[in-house]
């Protein structure tokens, strides 16, 4: 239940009788709301090991999407961060794509993924991914309208697909978070501990400055981060939701190190009345107001983060929690709802379809 699944839940609130099509469905990993819907898999879900290793079947996903029979539908909403938009719709159907990001591993992150692949992967990727890029661009022409989850993704869409997109930020359950009058001196880092999230930068900065910190997250780097933590840093795999809310509300600040397409965690921190120290690229430039609800640093390095934390210590007396909580309300679920409905109305008016 990550950002994409939260978007799906909200779409189900708007369209409670909608059918869901997905490549792989693991009911026990999703919410009751999603389990209550009519969920259908493509043939990818029947392949050996697909539940755990669905990424290995990427070359077959375009074919699987195009094999879906959607003739009976007059409205299709695709939620895209991998191949989802490439379905074949009726000429009279309306297809709106909500794009979390064009496939990063095909485009601007391609060389990162290639360099971390095994020998066989590095051998196959140039030819395979070249063909997938062609399909990705061609299938983008089938969509009637596109929404991007941030201005960062909007620029990606224009660069990769040559299409314009409006921005509708994903829904964040801001009412689930509350400020606290009890504050600690600990910095907070929350995310998956995978390489691009750059937990290593946060850990080294905390160790170097000797500031107290709590780092929360699981993933392939967890053991390395836990082993390298100084006495000033606590590392946890998981927190309950109540524990997470308390960690947000009592933190000195959230430290946010990745370049994300949007990034829900900084909004949750602001909703809890706490500031954010963030790497100032990606979707966070939409959600955090530099100098008001947080501070940005411009280089994704330990030195730049250390300098940002030092600057933050001097800036903190200027921070106003009520400004942060007001900022977070821009991403409330009802704002997302209005964005989706307005986009559909606009598409219907512009192309004259009834969906």
């Amino acid at each position: 239940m990550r950002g994409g699944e939260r978007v799906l839940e909200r779409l189900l609130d708007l369209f409670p009788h909608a059918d869901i099509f997905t490549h792989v469905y693991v009911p026990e990993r999703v919410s009751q709301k999603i389990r209550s819907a009519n969920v259908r898999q493509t043939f990818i879900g029947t392949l050996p090991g697909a539940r755990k290793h669905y990424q290995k079947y990427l070359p077959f996903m375009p074919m699987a999407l195009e094999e879906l029979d959607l003739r009976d539908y007059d409205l299709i909403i695709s939620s895209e961060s991998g191949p989802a938009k490439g379905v074949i719709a009726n000429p009279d159907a309306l297809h709106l794509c909500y794009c979390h990001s064009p496939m990063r591993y095909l485009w601007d992150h391609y060389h990162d993924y290639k360099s971390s692949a095994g020998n066989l992967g590095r051998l196959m990727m140039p030819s395979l991914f070249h063909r997938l890029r062609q399909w990705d661009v061609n299938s983008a022409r089938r969509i009637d309208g596109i929404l991007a989850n941030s201005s960062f993704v909007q620029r990606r869409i224009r660069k990769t697909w040559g299409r314009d997109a409006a921005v509708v930020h994903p829904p964040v359950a801001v009412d689930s978070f509350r400020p606290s009058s009890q504050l600690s001196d600990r910095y907070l880092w929350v995310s998956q501990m995978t390489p691009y999230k750059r937990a290593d930068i946060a850990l080294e900065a905390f160790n170097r400055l000797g500031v107290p910190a709590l780092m929360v997250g699981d993933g392939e780097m967890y053991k390395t981060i836990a082993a390298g933590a100084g006495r000033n840093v606590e590392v946890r795999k998981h927190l309950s939701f109540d524990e997470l809310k308390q960690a947000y509300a009592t933190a000195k600040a959230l430290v946010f190190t990745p370049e994300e397409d949007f990034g829900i965690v900084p909004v949750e921190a602001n909703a809890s009345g706490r500031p954010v120290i963030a790497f100032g690229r990606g979707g966070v430039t939409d959600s955090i107001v530099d100098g008001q609800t947080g501070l940005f640093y411009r280089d994704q390095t330990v030195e730049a983060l250390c300098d940002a934390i030092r600057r933050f210590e001097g800036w903190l007396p200027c921070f106003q929690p009520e400004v942060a909580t007001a900022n977070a309300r821009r991403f409330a679920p009802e704002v997302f709802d209005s964005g989706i409905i307005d986009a559909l109305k606009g598409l219907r008016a512009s192309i004259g379809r009834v969906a």
Side-chain angles (χ1 to χ4, degrees):
M1 292 301 301
R2 298 169 63 189
E5 288 74 27
R6 298 300 180 191
V7 166
L8 177 58
E9 282 190 315
R10 200 67 191 182
L11 291 173
L12 285 172
D13 288 336
L14 292 171
F15 306 99
H17 303 296
D19 297 324
I20 299 173
F21 293 84
T22 185
H23 286 303
V24 179
Y25 179 45
V26 186
E28 59 270 21
R29 298 289 298 275
V30 298
S31 67
Q32 179 59 42
K33 183 178 292 186
I34 295 175
R35 291 198 299 271
S36 298
N38 179 25
V39 183
R40 309 181 198 180
Q41 293 184 131
T42 70
F43 71 73
I44 299 294
T46 68
L47 299 176
R51 281 191 165 201
K52 290 187 176 180
H53 304 291
Y54 60 89
Q55 299 97 329
K56 297 183 186 299
Y57 292 114
L58 174 65
F60 302 101
M61 289 182 184
M63 182 194 306
L65 289 166
E66 292 173 349
E67 283 298 304
L68 292 174
D69 184 357
L70 304 182
R71 289 175 294 176
D72 293 336
Y73 297 91
D74 56 12
L75 174 60
I76 297 165
I77 300 177
S78 53
S79 181
E80 168 87 1
S81 58
K85 68 186 183 306
V87 295
I88 298 174
N90 270 338
D92 292 329
L94 185 67
H95 182 176
L96 174 67
C97 174
Y98 186 81
C99 184
H100 305 272
S101 177
M103 290 182 277
R104 293 182 294 270
Y105 39 86
L106 293 187
W107 299 101
D108 49 324
H109 288 192
Y110 167 67
H111 292 288
D112 294 329
Y113 280 91
K114 183 182 176 184
S115 64
S116 64
N119 291 333
L120 181 61
R122 286 196 296 272
L123 182 66
M124 296 177 60
M125 284 174 70
S127 175
L128 172 62
F129 279 33
H130 174 69
R131 292 195 296 272
L132 285 171
R133 288 187 198 101
Q134 292 175 321
W135 178 87
D136 192 41
V137 172
N138 287 334
S139 62
R141 298 172 183 167
R142 305 173 190 172
I143 307 166
D144 295 302
I146 307 173
L147 297 177
N149 75 349
S150 69
S151 57
F152 177 60
V153 169
Q154 181 186 49
R155 293 191 294 274
R156 265 191 181 146
I157 291 168
R158 188 176 297 116
K159 179 72 73 174
T160 57
W161 297 345
R163 296 285 306 269
D164 290 328
V167 175
V168 173
H169 297 113
V172 182
V174 293
D175 289 331
S176 297
F177 302 91
R178 293 284 185 276
S180 171
S181 59
Q182 304 296 319
L183 301 179
S184 75
D185 287 330
R186 286 207 302 187
Y187 290 91
L188 176 66
W189 186 96
V190 179
S191 197
Q192 269 193 309
M193 291 189 181
T194 54
Y196 93 91
K197 300 284 191 177
R198 302 314 308 263
D200 55 326
I201 288 177
L203 177 64
E204 179 60 28
F206 296 149
N207 283 343
R208 188 177 297 183
L209 296 174
V211 295
L214 170 63
M215 299 186 67
V216 182
D218 198 2
E220 60 200 274
M221 293 182 66
Y222 173 80
K223 290 183 178 179
T224 301
I225 296 298
R231 297 180 64 180
N232 55 304
V233 181
E234 180 184 359
V235 181
R236 299 274 298 274
K237 275 190 178 182
H238 303 287
L239 294 180
S240 69
F241 189 51
D242 285 341
E243 289 173 326
L244 178 63
K245 289 192 292 184
Q246 183 180 20
Y248 276 138
T250 60
K252 191 169 194 177
L254 174 80
V255 172
F256 191 71
T257 49
E259 179 185 312
E260 289 281 23
D261 304 324
F262 175 69
I264 288 176
V265 167
V267 179
E268 293 176 339
N270 266 187
S272 305
R274 301 314 302 148
V276 177
I277 303 171
F279 175 51
R281 289 187 58 183
V284 75
T285 60
D286 283 8
S287 59
I288 299 301
V289 183
D290 189 23
Q292 293 186 30
T293 71
L295 293 181
F296 290 156
Y297 60 99
R298 303 299 174 181
D299 296 313
Q300 205 174 33
T301 63
V302 175
E303 291 74 17
L305 177 54
C306 286
D307 179 65
I309 292 173
R310 294 187 191 101
R311 286 190 292 114
F312 172 81
E313 294 281 350
W315 172 81
L316 183 56
C318 301
F319 172 70
Q320 297 177 312
E322 61 275 14
V323 174
T325 55
N327 175 63
R329 293 227 55 85
R330 296 189 292 129
F331 309 98
E334 57 268 23
V335 179
F336 172 82
D337 296 349
S338 297
I340 295 292
I341 297 301
D342 289 347
L344 288 172
K345 288 179 179 177
L347 279 178
R348 289 166 182 160
S350 65
I351 61 181
R353 294 181 191 173
V354 179

